[in-house]
Amino acid sequence: FRFADDLTSQSNGYLVINASKQPALTGVGSNIRAVRLTNTAGTSVANTGTTKIPFDASISISNGLRVDAANNRVYCDESGLYDLSASIQFASSTYAAGNIITIQAWKNGAVHSVMGAKTIDAAVTAKQGIEGTDQVSLSRGDYIEFYASNSRTAGATALSTTAGECFMNIAKKGRIV
């Protein structure tokens, strides 16, 4: 190895990085476009159709996304390509073989994608989880919502009330400067 004398050195066979001489990060904070939404409300998800996932808390580090808590939507204030990710956990219920649970992303009131789907292999009484990812192109004024579905023969089931088990993330792709 050859070391740049002012940025790195070697000591006792270890690479030492002189952090005080590393280039400063720029754009951290105000230029980040990201939001994390959580649900601990135990939302009931019907076994017919889809149910919008309300969020009871949001962590937003953004000047490009706007959280509309009243309508459970995230509005885009800056056009671009966004990463979506979500993870939901259904409370313990009885599922039959062949029941299906999904997590979906909706854009402007219509299905954008089924981010994740899980088919139950055998009858079981237990929590069931699903997660998924996708990308979406958003223009200024577009909005994203998240929905869940379950085809449980026995009826509706609730999302888990345990903190950290139901969350959705939206983050703008691209270089932050």
Side-chain angles (χ1 to χ4, degrees):
F1 284 100
R2 182 182 161 115
F3 301 104
D5 293 334
D6 59 338
L7 297 178
T8 59
S9 61
Q10 188 175 17
S11 174
N12 295 328
Y14 293 97
L15 174 65
V16 177
I17 298 174
N18 300 323
S20 64
K21 296 185 179 182
Q22 296 299 313
L25 295 175
T26 60
V28 176
S30 65
N31 288 332
I32 296 174
R33 282 98 171 126
V35 65
R36 180 180 178 87
L37 311 166
T38 60
N39 175 300
T40 57
T43 304
S44 179
V45 178
N47 67 338
T48 57
T50 56
T51 301
K52 186 190 294 192
I53 302 172
F55 44 90
D56 49 27
S58 67
I59 300 171
S60 182
I61 306 173
S62 174
N63 64 356
L65 295 167
R66 214 171 1 100
V67 175
D68 176 354
N71 294 304
N72 296 297
R73 295 176 176 165
V74 176
Y75 282 90
C76 173
D77 289 335
E78 184 177 296
S79 298
L81 187 61
Y82 287 79
D83 283 325
L84 307 175
S85 64
S87 179
I88 58 173
Q89 186 84 252
F90 287 90
S92 184
S93 295
T94 301
Y95 294 87
N99 287 170
I100 300 170
I101 57 174
T102 70
I103 178 79
Q104 303 171 15
W106 288 36
K107 176 182 172 182
N108 298 330
V111 176
H112 170 70
S113 70
V114 175
M115 297 170 58
K118 178 179 180 180
T119 302
I120 307 303
D121 293 329
V124 63
T125 299
K127 282 186 169 183
Q128 295 296 319
I130 184 105
E131 54 190 38
T133 61
D134 199 5
Q135 294 180 340
V136 61
S137 178
L138 298 175
S139 297
R140 185 179 176 94
D142 287 347
Y143 64 90
I144 293 292
E145 302 164 299
F146 293 93
Y147 283 76
S149 71
N150 98 81
S151 68
R152 214 168 69 88
T153 311
T157 189
L159 294 179
S160 172
T161 58
T162 303
E165 289 190 343
C166 296
F167 59 88
M168 292 80 43
N169 300 306
I170 304 172
K172 186 168 187 201
K173 291 188 68 68
R175 190 168 161 252
I176 298 172
V177 292

